[in-house]
Amino acid sequence: MSGHNIKINKEKLDKVAKDILKPVGFGPGFLTWMSFLTMALLACIYAYVIQYQKGLIVTGMRDMVSWGMYIANFVFFVATALVGMLISGVIGLLGYTWIKPITRIAEIIAVAFAAVAGLVIVSDMGRPERLLNVFIHGRVQSPILWDVTVVTTYLVISTLLYLLPLIPDLAIARGRMQNAPKWMMKLYEILSFKWTHHPKQYKLLFKATRLLIILVIPTAFAIHTVTSWLLAVNSRSGWDSTIFGPYFLTGAFVTGMAAVIIAVFFFRNNYKLRDYLGESLFDKMGKLLEFVCVIYFYFNLNEFVVPAYKMKEFDAIHIHELFLGKHAIMFWFSQIFGLLIPMVVLLWKPFRKPLPLFIISLFVLVSAWLKRYIIVIPTMEHPFLPVQNLPHEWVVYQPTIIETAVTIGSIIMGLMIISVLAKLFPVIPIWEMAEEEEGTKTKII
Amino acid sequence: MNKYYLIVVVCVCAVLNVTAQNTWVVPQDQKEKLSMVEFTESMQKSGADVFAGKCTACHGTPGKGNFNALLNPSPDDPASEKFQLNTDGELFYKISEGRVTMPSFKSALSKADIWNVIAYVRSFNTTYVQETAEKIESNIPEGTVLSLNLDYEEEKKALKLKLTGTLNGEESVVGGVEVTLAVERYFGNLKIGEGKTTNKSGLAYFILNDEIPGDSIGNVKLIAQVVETELYGDIKTEKTLQIGAVNNKPALNAERAMWNTVKKAPLWIIFGYTGSVLAVWFFIFYVLFVVKKIYALGKEDIPEDQKVI
């Protein structure tokens, strides 16, 4: 690994750089898209302002169900963010080179979703101005503090994993983007850290990246395991599970893969990068999605069949609500369209072609969101202690319009971050694509 | 014909059996039991208190008919005719012994309390005429005020109960009366041995096992009582004595524990948390340091043969 010297092919580089740098920059199409997002976001921010002034009473959360859509949404964001670790960390460390063109896209998603996950948690606070107290008066014994810590750490590592491999590309781009605005070139200059393609610089870069991709694995495991513990350290039915950590983690891989596939499909078509994001890449991503779906299915089997077989008093109520009760439609929709059908159809190659895979991923992603809702809310509706004489609307949970708007706002914000990053910097690592020898990625590991 | 006869007999037996299960049979001697004293208004009042605390949940408020109808057999309204048809002795027996869902109150209520409840229940019956039993105890003169005294006798290592009676300013000891001794615990009282009868000098001794856990300085709270409260009244005395084993168990929040404050969190969790955070952030800063080195290398010349591009 250390003895290896990277060699970049000049002709290849010229072509790759030309193709990949072409969509970079804020064109009119982008500005229209962003103004649309901004307008929608303003409406959502207005909803948040109302919540800020009046407090959480404007949400559907009450005495019994004190965790609602926000927490479900938070879990969804954290889950999706994990894909950065799956691609760069797990698959990268295993030495697969096909991930090269999608590593940066995966990291963009990781950064965007991890950043927004933090904001989503703040939106669940009645007094967000007291956020600092979480740190000042945090209890080391509480998974809430662990979660806050680890989300922050994961965001930092993901950002570094995004920025570091970008350094050579920015140096390459500086010489080739003559008509880019001045501020952009200035930013490129700063972020390329005086990169001269010095072989020693490459060695250091490999070293730092290697460290980060090793570091990101335990951190990502921690982030989602701790998120699952927020629920699993309770003895409530539906949360009281020893496999909640791996159950969440594998679920996160499914969600994250779907998000990456959607993004890759988008860039392939809109950025005209078909040569780099080809059909064989989609086939590989489809297989990976199939693989994580099977594991997730296995955990679902354990998570639902075992309690359903025993039907312990309180579990029985919970499971009945999910299987046949008022959450049944959502539950079966997410299980069937988000897991079972994808798992089955992805076995056939035609379904792993770009368009079918894209559609399947859309279903998976939507189902993944609904699944988090199913994990958080029904359990809250069935506490162990009998609750008497509460008004009906305190007992059942119904998200309000304000709550929904704030949640949509978080999704818009995630989209905005992704959009800006995807226009500000190249979405595919140019230097890695222009290597003389294909195997460098393997060798840095 | 014979066959039908048999069926009829079987049916009758079955019906009788069911009714037998439904009637609550009270032994004859208990049925005739009577209160020693005439019910007074103050007895009814304290009976009302006991009833409100212990009985309303199932029997509702007498006369309102709001008893818990879900129970089977039905608890009934105490003001109802069926309820009032019980003799005083039957009521006393049923309250003391209980049956199935009707709890037994003989350990929860003193006999005097049970009579008070009966006095209260009877106050809803306008046609009720009370009969009382004669006083059988004759060696205590009428009007004597009894009092119970509790002390620890060092040399005998025993607790001494002394029953005295005062009549017209003159004090005398009272013998032949059953007394009990108990230690107050978190949930209810712990009886020390069996009840004992006071001797001619009005004394009863209880050997106290010194292993009885006390508080941090060995204090225990003792409760001495006359057993036959219906005969002598609720004669009771309570005293705290330093005769138990010293119990120095720390308070629940004194030591490191998951539920304690951050400063008193378990060490493993403090080290586990800070250790992992520090380890990960050490490497993050190391990476930043590497980036700084990359920056510094930017000024260095690259030999021709080592050019990457």
Side-chain angles (χ1 to χ4, degrees):
Chain A
M1 95 193 164
S2 47
H4 177 78
N5 275 335
I6 181 176
K7 208 87 193 113
I8 289 176
N9 185 309
K10 188 82 177 68
E11 287 82 61
K12 229 169 157 187
L13 179 68
D14 286 340
K15 163 144 183 28
V16 172
K18 189 163 161 279
D19 290 346
I20 294 176
L21 288 177
K22 205 165 169 196
V24 176
F26 304 112
F30 173 81
L31 292 179
T32 324
W33 166 241
M34 278 310 269
S35 19
F36 164 71
L37 286 184
T38 313
M39 243 127 78
L41 184 65
L42 282 177
C44 300
I45 288 178
Y46 176 65
Y48 182 73
V49 170
I50 295 176
Q51 178 188 311
Y52 183 76
Q53 284 167 346
K54 298 201 173 150
L56 288 177
I57 192 74
V58 300
T59 71
M61 291 183 279
R62 291 294 181 271
D63 292 38
M64 273 219 354
V65 183
S66 52
W67 276 0
M69 201 189 241
Y70 290 156
I71 297 293
N73 194 38
F74 166 73
V75 178
F76 171 77
F77 269 86
V78 173
T80 313
L82 286 211
V83 74
M85 178 276 280
L86 175 69
I87 298 293
S88 312
V90 177
I91 308 296
L93 272 182
L94 289 174
Y96 290 100
T97 48
W98 62 265
I99 58 157
K100 263 200 307 196
I102 61 166
T103 44
R104 190 165 294 158
I105 297 173
E107 284 313 330
I108 291 178
I109 290 175
V111 171
F113 277 73
V116 176
L119 288 178
V120 172
I121 275 298
V122 176
S123 76
D124 193 49
M125 293 179 161
R127 302 290 298 266
E129 72 275 14
R130 296 184 182 170
L131 174 64
L132 225 56
N133 287 359
V134 173
F135 298 94
I136 299 171
H137 304 291
R139 287 168 53 78
V140 272
Q141 301 100 311
S142 164
I144 292 190
L145 181 71
W146 310 342
D147 210 45
V148 172
T149 317
V150 85
V151 169
T152 324
T153 309
Y154 184 72
L155 178 59
V156 171
I157 296 181
S158 294
T159 310
L160 286 173
L161 257 181
Y162 174 61
L163 289 179
L164 254 56
L166 199 59
I167 295 174
D169 275 9
L170 296 185
I172 292 167
R174 282 180 65 200
R176 290 162 202 264
M177 289 173 56
Q178 273 81 15
N179 4 352
K182 250 200 176 135
W183 65 267
M184 204 159 150
M185 284 302 100
K186 187 79 201 155
L187 184 69
Y188 277 30
E189 189 193 328
I190 294 167
L191 287 179
S192 58
F193 294 100
K194 284 220 183 321
W195 187 265
T196 54
H197 300 283
H198 197 298
K200 283 188 192 158
Q201 282 183 323
Y202 272 106
K203 260 183 206 157
L204 286 173
L205 182 69
F206 292 162
K207 185 174 169 183
T209 317
R210 190 168 60 239
L211 234 158
L212 284 174
I213 55 183
I214 294 171
L215 208 55
V216 78
I217 294 177
T219 311
F221 269 65
I223 185 177
H224 219 38
T225 306
V226 169
T227 306
S228 84
W229 286 352
L230 291 178
L231 311 166
V233 292
N234 293 275
S235 49
R236 285 167 174 257
S237 305
W239 293 350
D240 181 15
S241 158
T242 51
I243 61 161
F244 237 45
Y247 172 58
F248 266 45
L249 206 62
T250 49
F253 290 161
V254 174
T255 319
M257 262 328 284
V260 165
I261 290 169
I262 292 168
V264 171
F265 182 82
F266 177 85
F267 293 129
R268 168 186 154 94
N269 291 329
N270 282 50
Y271 282 28
K272 315 241 164 357
L273 295 172
R274 285 206 162 85
D275 293 348
Y276 308 93
L277 308 171
E279 296 226 340
S280 73
L281 177 73
F282 275 82
D283 189 62
K284 292 261 175 27
M285 290 196 295
K287 281 179 181 162
L288 186 54
L289 181 61
E290 165 73 14
F291 178 61
V292 289
C293 274
V294 170
I295 304 180
Y296 190 43
F297 172 77
Y298 171 69
F299 276 101
N300 268 276
L301 204 65
N302 282 276
E303 188 56 31
F304 290 107
V305 172
V306 174
Y309 190 98
K310 291 184 282 192
M311 280 293 181
K312 286 197 285 187
E313 197 180 352
F314 286 97
D315 289 359
I317 302 171
H318 177 70
I319 284 173
H320 190 270
E321 279 298 310
L322 294 188
F323 286 12
L324 302 164
K326 75 167 193 261
H327 298 288
I329 293 177
M330 212 188 254
F331 176 79
W332 289 115
F333 179 88
S334 70
Q335 294 291 50
I336 292 173
F337 290 97
L339 186 55
L340 284 175
I341 294 182
M343 188 176 79
V344 173
V345 299
L346 282 176
L347 289 171
W348 283 276
K349 202 177 170 84
F351 287 98
R352 300 195 297 264
K353 289 207 174 305
L355 186 64
L357 190 59
F358 167 70
I359 293 168
I360 291 170
S361 298
L362 281 180
F363 272 97
V364 171
L365 199 69
V366 171
S367 302
W369 194 94
L370 296 176
K371 184 70 184 291
R372 314 295 164 218
Y373 190 93
I374 283 293
I375 290 173
V376 175
I377 283 98
T379 294
M380 286 245 101
E381 288 175 350
H382 303 113
F384 282 125
L385 291 176
V387 180
Q388 289 170 345
N389 308 325
L390 282 188
H392 180 69
E393 67 269 25
W394 288 20
V395 178
V396 293
Y397 171 74
Q398 188 67 49
T400 60
I401 292 178
I402 292 190
E403 212 171 351
T404 315
V406 173
T407 301
I408 292 174
S410 67
I411 295 168
I412 294 175
M413 248 187 277
L415 280 179
M416 282 171 105
I417 297 178
I418 295 173
S419 305
V420 169
L421 289 180
K423 275 289 172 186
L424 188 58
F425 301 125
V427 291
I428 295 178
I430 302 170
W431 62 277
E432 286 188 65
M433 300 307 288
E435 272 173 62
E436 196 87 66
E437 273 175 83
E438 285 292 314
T440 312
K441 186 84 191 174
T442 335
K443 282 172 191 147
I444 66 162
I445 293 151
Chain B
M1 186 64 214
N2 243 351
K3 214 164 116 194
Y4 289 120
Y5 187 68
L6 195 71
I7 292 173
V8 169
V9 168
V10 168
C11 287
V12 168
C13 285
V15 169
L16 283 179
N17 191 28
V18 168
T19 31
Q21 257 184 8
N22 278 343
T23 37
W24 191 343
V25 185
V26 175
Q28 195 58 34
D29 57 323
Q30 299 292 321
K31 215 170 171 170
E32 286 162 9
K33 193 181 169 111
L34 289 172
S35 164
M36 294 294 162
V37 291
E38 216 169 316
F39 297 155
T40 60
E41 226 167 83
S42 79
M43 281 175 82
Q44 288 172 359
K45 253 195 200 127
S46 45
D49 287 344
V50 174
F51 193 96
K54 296 246 158 48
C55 321
T56 341
C58 299
H59 288 283
T61 317
K64 292 258 162 71
N66 56 351
F67 54 89
N68 188 338
L70 294 176
L71 294 174
N72 185 21
S74 162
D76 282 324
D77 190 324
S80 70
E81 202 191 356
K82 176 177 168 274
F83 206 95
Q84 293 289 345
L85 276 177
N86 287 294
T87 64
D88 287 359
E90 278 175 320
L91 288 179
F92 190 92
Y93 180 84
K94 290 177 178 179
I95 297 168
S96 309
E97 301 302 322
R99 185 173 85 159
V100 199
T101 12
M102 164 68 197
S104 155
F105 285 99
K106 72 173 161 228
S107 49
L109 295 177
S110 68
K111 286 179 181 162
D113 274 336
I114 296 180
W115 281 120
N116 290 346
V117 171
I118 295 171
Y120 170 66
V121 167
R122 288 302 191 200
S123 69
F124 293 92
N125 185 348
T126 41
T127 56
Y128 171 75
V129 184
Q130 197 198 356
E131 279 176 45
T132 55
E134 275 180 26
K135 262 193 186 139
I136 358 160
E137 203 59 46
S138 52
N139 61 350
I140 304 173
E142 197 80 38
T144 307
V145 180
L146 295 178
S147 73
L148 198 55
N149 208 23
L150 172 63
D151 270 312
Y152 185 63
E153 211 148 89
E154 196 65 61
E155 55 270 31
K156 287 193 174 139
K157 295 235 175 288
L159 282 148
K160 184 179 76 182
L161 291 190
K162 187 174 187 186
L163 189 64
T164 49
T166 324
L167 184 63
N168 305 329
E170 251 180 59
E171 205 184 83
S172 58
V173 294
V174 180
V177 175
E178 198 186 353
V179 288
T180 56
L181 182 67
V183 178
E184 191 187 70
R185 302 281 85 174
Y186 270 127
F187 306 105
N189 300 334
L190 174 71
K191 252 177 109 180
I192 307 293
E194 291 296 307
K196 292 202 162 76
T197 310
T198 50
N199 62 16
K200 278 206 187 99
S201 353
L203 296 174
Y205 287 96
F206 288 85
I207 314 272
L208 181 68
N209 184 340
D210 59 4
E211 285 309 305
I212 290 213
D215 63 9
S216 57
I217 53 166
N219 274 342
V220 284
K221 187 171 169 195
L222 297 147
I223 301 143
Q225 244 169 323
V226 168
V227 177
E228 304 248 29
T229 45
E230 35 184 326
L231 197 59
Y232 306 106
D234 238 347
I235 299 175
K236 196 185 212 179
T237 181
E238 296 179 355
K239 205 167 192 176
T240 302
L241 293 173
Q242 203 179 342
I243 50 172
V246 172
N247 186 353
N248 271 331
K249 283 234 177 74
L252 281 177
N253 63 352
E255 284 177 356
R256 292 189 176 280
M258 218 56 173
W259 56 81
N260 223 328
T261 54
V262 175
K263 278 183 189 147
K264 286 181 174 176
L267 283 177
W268 65 268
I269 217 161
I270 296 179
F271 287 126
Y273 172 80
T274 40
S276 335
V277 171
L278 286 179
V280 171
W281 280 89
F282 169 80
F283 286 113
I284 290 176
F285 279 107
Y286 180 72
V287 166
L288 293 178
F289 171 72
V290 172
V291 172
K292 191 177 155 255
K293 280 213 301 214
I294 289 177
Y295 184 82
L297 272 173
K299 290 175 204 115
E300 216 173 272
D301 285 333
I302 312 170
E304 201 50 47
D305 60 321
Q306 282 184 23
K307 277 236 158 75
V308 172
I309 305 178

